Amino acid sequence: MELTVQGLTAGYGPGRPVLDGVDLAVPAGRVVAVVGPNGCGKSTLLRAVARLHRPDAGRVLVGGEDVWRLRPRRAAHRVALLPQSPQAPEAVTVAGLVRYGRHPHQGLFRQWSAEDERRTAHALRATGVEALADRRLDRLSGGQRQRCWLAMVLAQDAPVVLLDEPTSALDLGHAVEVLELVREVASDGRTVVMVLHDLAAAARYADLLVALRDGAVVASGPPREVVDPDLVRALYDVDTDVLPAPADGAPVIVPRPRPRTR
C-alpha cells in the first residue's frame, strides 16, 4: 500500500514544533531512507506515522485511509514499527518473540490459528533465523538479534514497515546483512521507511531519500539525484566530496579535512 504524509506538523509542547508541514509519498514496494542531523525530527516522523505521537496538524494515509481515524488494532494491520531500542521479555526465545508480531491479529473471538503459525514460520524463514527459533534472544549476537526483531515486524504482516535506525550498534558486516534484508522485504511488496545516520548506506540501499533539517524536508528524491556536496553541507555543516561508487555509481561521501588551526 502507498504511504502518504500530508502537511504533518508535530511537537512536544505549545510553540515547539519538531516537524513543520512535512509531505511524503511512498509507493508500495519502495524503500525510503530518512536522513538528517540529530534532533531534526526523524524519529518523531516515524512515531507519528505509527500512531505513537499524535500530530498537531496533517494526515497520515495508508492505502488512502487516515491511520489516526482507525481503531488501534486496525491501524496495526496497516503499519508496523521497529523502534531504536526494542525491549524483549526476559528469557524469550526467538520463536516466542516473533509470535508477538501476531498480537494485533488476536482477539476475544480469534485466538492463535493456523494462519498465525504460517505467518510466523514465513517470517522466520524470510529473515534467515529459522534455525534459531528455540534459542534465547539474549544469547544471540547483535546482528542475529536484529534479524529476529525484523522477523517479528514481518510477522505482523503490515504493508508499511517503519525501522528506526535498524543498523544502530551493528558492525559493517551485520549492517549490510540487515540492509540487504530490508531490500528483500520491499521486494515482497511492502513499503519500508527507515531512519539512518549513515548517509552513504542510505544512498546505496534506498529508492528514495528524504532529508530533514529543523523539522522540514530540504531534499527528496532518488539518492543519485539529490545527494551532493551542497546537501551534505546543508544537513551536517561539513564539506565533502561525493563520488560515484566504481561498482554501481551509488553516491559515496568523503569528508574533506578541516583546516588545522595553530
Side-chain angles (χ1 to χ4, degrees):
M1 290 185 183
E2 180 176 295
L3 168 66
T4 305
V5 175
Q6 299 175 337
L8 194 70
T9 298
Y12 295 93
R16 296 175 54 198
V18 176
L19 297 173
D20 188 10
V22 170
D23 294 317
L24 179 65
V26 189
R30 300 293 180 86
V31 176
V32 175
V34 181
V35 301
N38 291 337
C40 70
K42 301 185 297 295
S43 294
T44 301
L45 174 60
L46 293 197
R47 289 174 59 82
V49 173
R51 285 180 45 104
L52 296 178
H53 185 88
R54 181 174 288 278
D56 300 313
R59 298 196 301 167
V60 177
L61 307 175
V62 176
E65 289 191 88
D66 190 335
V67 298
W68 281 98
R69 293 182 177 273
L70 301 176
R71 293 183 179 274
R73 188 179 295 275
R74 180 167 171 76
H77 290 181
R78 298 294 183 93
V79 180
L81 169 67
L82 180 60
Q84 287 184 34
S85 302
Q87 299 295 318
E90 186 176 356
V92 70
T93 65
V94 170
L97 176 74
V98 177
R99 290 189 186 105
Y100 280 112
R102 299 302 298 167
H103 178 72
H105 300 272
Q106 308 302 307
L108 182 62
F109 299 106
R110 188 188 185 286
Q111 301 302 310
W112 190 262
S113 68
E115 176 66 8
D116 295 319
E117 195 65 41
R118 188 180 72 81
R119 292 289 182 180
T120 299
H122 173 76
L124 289 165
R125 286 194 305 272
T127 53
V129 296
E130 190 175 22
L132 304 176
D134 296 325
R135 296 272 300 277
R136 280 177 47 166
L137 186 73
D138 57 8
R139 294 180 178 175
L140 302 179
S141 70
Q144 288 173 324
R145 285 198 300 272
Q146 194 67 339
R147 280 181 167 269
C148 295
W149 284 109
L150 284 169
M152 185 197 73
V153 170
L154 293 186
Q156 189 171 327
D157 200 31
V160 174
V161 176
L162 311 175
L163 307 173
D164 198 351
E165 298 188 37
T167 59
S168 176
L170 296 182
D171 61 35
L172 179 60
H174 287 122
V176 168
E177 285 183 7
V178 168
L179 291 170
E180 289 177 346
L181 177 58
V182 168
R183 294 294 324 175
E184 292 175 16
V185 170
S187 70
D188 197 32
R190 302 184 201 230
T191 300
V192 180
V193 181
M194 59 180 175
V195 166
L196 288 179
H197 275 299
D198 186 337
L199 183 57
R204 176 172 293 279
Y205 288 97
D207 301 304
L208 177 70
L209 186 138
V210 176
L212 294 180
R213 174 120 193 197
D214 298 327
V217 176
V218 297
S220 177
R224 299 184 193 197
E225 296 179 10
V226 301
V227 176
D228 59 22
D230 290 337
L231 176 64
V232 181
R233 188 181 307 110
L235 292 178
Y236 305 109
D237 300 315
V238 174
D239 290 324
T240 60
D241 294 310
V242 177
L243 310 172
D248 60 3
V252 176
I253 297 93
V254 182
R256 293 181 182 176
R258 291 177 174 175
R260 294 184 179 181
T261 56
R262 296 183 180 273

